[in-house]
Amino acid sequence: MKTSRNSSTFDLVIIGGGSAGYAAARKGAAEGLKTAVVEGGKEVGGTCILSGCMPSKALLYASEVLHLARSAKTWGLKIPKAGFDFKAVMARKKVVIDDCVQDRCQGLTSGKFKFIRANARFVDAHTVTFSEAQPGAPESIQAKHFVICTGSVVSPAAVPGLAQTGYLTSEDALSLRKLPKSLIVLGGGPVALELAQFLRRFNVEITLIQRGGQLLREFDADAAAVVESVLKREGVRIWKDTTLTKAFRHGRNKGVAFEHGGKSHRVMAENILFALGRSPATTWLNLEKAGVKTDSGRILTNAHMQTSAPHIYAAGDCTGPHAIVHIAVEQGEIAAHNIASPSARQRIDYRLLTNVVFTDPQMASVGLTEKEARTKKIPFKAASYPFNDHGKSLIMDATDGFVKLLADPASGEILGGTCAGVLGGELIHEIIAAMHHRMTARELALMPHYHPTLAEIWTYPAAELAGL
Ligand SMILES: Cc1cc2nc3c(=O)[nH]c(=O)nc-3n(C[C@H](O)[C@H](O)[C@H](O)COP(=O)(O)OP(=O)(O)OC[C@H]3O[C@@H](n4cnc5c(N)ncnc54)[C@H](O)[C@@H]3O)c2cc1C
């Protein structure tokens, strides 16, 4: 490692101060490494806080309260005019985000590690230089180890004419000043569905166009169908099995042309939301200078989060394979721990992989889905129970959907759970805990559950699987 004037040397330099980077920095410093974090964004916070989980869930929750207020009659209540002030809705969201940003800034400047505000790129395997640096940043920095945590960016608009036509990204949709009258949503994944429902409940006419035959393709088809039917009931027009051919302008409106069932179709709206995915933010890093291999931009790592350059690790969306915050945090912690304690290395384990979509009803799964078990030929038995036959959900008039459990046919160990229903993102945690402790369906069924709660719904499929 060469040293140069104006350069500092660290045990560990983390590039990116989002969920993965912040977790790696805390872990590295706690395990005694001289650590620095480099963050190049205009604002500090990363995707989760600034333009992902927090703003989207804050807005979805507002839309859910509005929906409940509009449905008050169900419980015999009179709320004659449930309306909204969109500026105030956005202002409330900003209060939540500002609070999180402040917390993250405090953590990053706590003095436990050096915090540098600049964009980093490799010049060789042990050195990064900076651009757009804020005052006080060195010209370059050297380290024995790196963890790359640069996250992801919205994928380029791969629809002919879309760039020229103009479109909104998820980030734009989460900071709208004025609601469009109508919107075409391109995509059928979590971000597309969450934004479609939030905007629909704020009276925007939504047409959602999805390439494949199933929305939320990471879930079982029966679970995805629950959300699809609710979105349709609320007035979202959904096209599946389509091939997008072009986007275009027509007067003050924008349009999308696509093929479906052997015919050509066109839909028009005031604007288009492009929600067809994100790509790793790695193009600017000069990774070839550091000897780090990628596949379509995604940094390749082993289960220790180590890249092809043994002293460089990666965590979070820039490496994948799952763009989920708690995975980014776990990967970041494992990377920093493995650098600090090479004799006690940890591996990332996706056995308890959890997915949640915060539509209403929510979609959540942990571990195996039926689809995955079939593809991988893993033996399983499954049992389901519907929310329309369950005490607490009847009280709440939240009767859409079901819960499903998968268990090993020989040992009875729970292999996976899905909740397509009210507060699924909360309910799934019971199954995460059960699977973490490798509980059997019988043990879950016999565990006490308070009545009447939503959580007790899990006892029905558990009892069926256990033959009780
Ligand atoms: C609309 C939306 C909703 C979402 N909702 C959820 C949800 O509900 N639950 C969930 O688990 N996940 C959700 N996600 C995904 C989640 O936000 C990401 O998986 C997570 O934030 C990734 O964390 P990260 O640390 O890998 O990247 P980021 O948080 O994006 O951090 C990367 C950081 O690196 C910085 N950076 C990039 N390049 C450089 C460089 N060269 N030098 C210095 N700094 C650099 C960036 O400025 C950024 O701050 C959502 C995503 C979106 C877009």
Side-chain angles (χ1 to χ4, degrees), residues 5 66 173 242 254 350:
R5 207 167 57 84
L66 176 63
T242 64
K254 297 175 183 177
Y350 298 118

Side-chain angles (χ1 to χ4, degrees), residues 97-429:
I97 304 315
D98 288 350
D99 201 29
C100 296
V101 168
Q102 203 184 347
D103 270 6
R104 176 62 57 83
C105 285
Q106 271 170 7
L108 284 165
T109 54
S110 62
K112 291 182 182 144
F113 39 77
K114 188 171 175 63
F115 184 46
I116 298 167
R117 293 284 280 118
N119 259 301
R121 68 192 325 206
F122 285 94
V123 285
D124 64 44
H126 283 279
T127 314
V128 289
T129 53
F130 300 131
S131 64
E132 295 165 55
Q134 288 196 1
E139 275 173 24
S140 65
I141 201 169
Q142 296 200 317
K144 292 180 193 147
H145 293 95
F146 293 87
V147 185
I148 304 171
C149 303
T150 48
S152 59
V153 288
V154 173
S155 301
V159 179
L162 187 57
Q164 298 84 332
T165 304
Y167 58 94
L168 302 174
T169 62
S170 58
E171 204 172 324
D172 301 325
L174 293 170
S175 47
L176 285 170
R177 285 166 183 224
K178 189 173 163 279
L179 285 164
K181 204 172 157 326
S182 54
L183 190 72
I184 298 166
V185 178
L186 301 180
V191 172
L193 265 56
E194 289 180 359
L195 290 174
Q197 189 176 44
F198 144 59
L199 290 165
R200 178 65 205 131
R201 287 182 167 183
F202 281 96
N203 301 341
V204 180
E205 284 169 33
I206 304 281
T207 306
L208 186 137
I209 306 177
Q210 141 92 355
R211 259 188 300 227
Q214 183 192 313
L215 302 178
L216 300 176
R217 61 175 179 209
E218 60 275 30
F219 289 89
D220 283 336
D222 54 356
V226 173
V227 176
E228 182 175 342
S229 72
V230 172
L231 289 177
K232 283 182 172 160
R233 190 170 75 210
E234 294 184 3
V236 176
R237 284 182 289 265
I238 298 177
W239 292 89
K240 295 185 296 181
D241 276 318
T242 64
T243 308
L244 296 172
T245 47
K246 66 170 182 179
F248 55 90
R249 269 188 179 271
H250 185 77
R252 304 179 95 184
N253 282 328
K254 297 175 183 177
V256 169
F258 60 94
E259 303 287 322
H260 170 78
K263 288 190 185 150
S264 301
H265 300 264
R266 287 155 77 93
V267 289
M268 305 289 301
E270 189 178 322
N271 216 332
I272 299 170
L273 169 64
F274 179 75
L276 277 171
R278 297 175 68 85
S279 310
T282 53
T283 42
W284 204 75
L285 284 169
N286 248 348
L287 289 175
E288 48 308 328
K289 294 250 164 136
V292 173
K293 289 200 176 128
T294 58
D295 178 16
S296 306
R298 183 168 95 80
I299 298 175
L300 299 171
T301 70
N302 59 20
H304 304 291
M305 307 316 303
Q306 190 175 30
T307 71
S308 51
H311 66 294
I312 302 180
Y313 290 63
D317 286 9
C318 65
T319 179
H322 307 287
I324 299 173
V325 167
H326 74 275
I327 299 283
V329 168
E330 200 181 339
Q331 290 175 336
E333 288 176 349
I334 287 176
H337 166 82
N338 288 346
I339 291 165
S341 311
S343 57
R345 292 208 299 171
Q346 295 171 348
R347 296 167 68 85
I348 186 85
D349 177 7
Y350 298 118
R351 183 177 72 88
L352 297 182
L353 180 70
T354 305
N355 273 301
V356 177
V357 184
F358 291 83
T359 45
D360 171 25
Q362 295 179 0
M363 294 280 291
S365 70
V366 56
L368 268 192
T369 58
E370 265 189 276
K371 192 197 281 195
E372 192 186 353
R374 289 211 169 87
T375 312
K376 294 184 175 166
K377 299 197 172 16
I378 298 171
F380 70 95
K381 52 183 181 174
S384 304
Y385 201 83
F387 279 103
N388 67 11
D389 190 32
H390 182 55
K392 185 62 192 278
S393 43
L394 289 170
I395 291 170
M396 297 169 75
D397 192 38
T399 51
D400 291 301
F402 60 88
V403 291
K404 175 160 53 175
L405 280 180
L406 269 64
D408 184 302
S411 67
E413 181 179 335
I414 300 168
L415 301 176
T418 292
C419 179
V422 56
L423 293 177
E426 309 297 329
L427 290 178
I428 202 68
H429 284 77

Side-chain angles (χ1 to χ4, degrees), residues 17-70:
S19 303
Y22 182 52
R26 283 172 24 138
K27 190 70 167 176
E31 294 207 18
L33 298 175
K34 186 186 172 197
T35 302
V37 182
V38 189
E39 169 54 54
K42 279 197 199 110
E43 282 182 83
V44 172
T47 304
C48 172
I49 294 175
L50 298 172
S51 57
C53 328
M54 294 307 294
S56 59
K57 271 78 242 184
L59 294 175
L60 273 162
Y61 191 68
S63 73
E64 206 171 321
V65 175
L66 176 63
H67 181 74
L68 278 175
R70 282 171 174 159

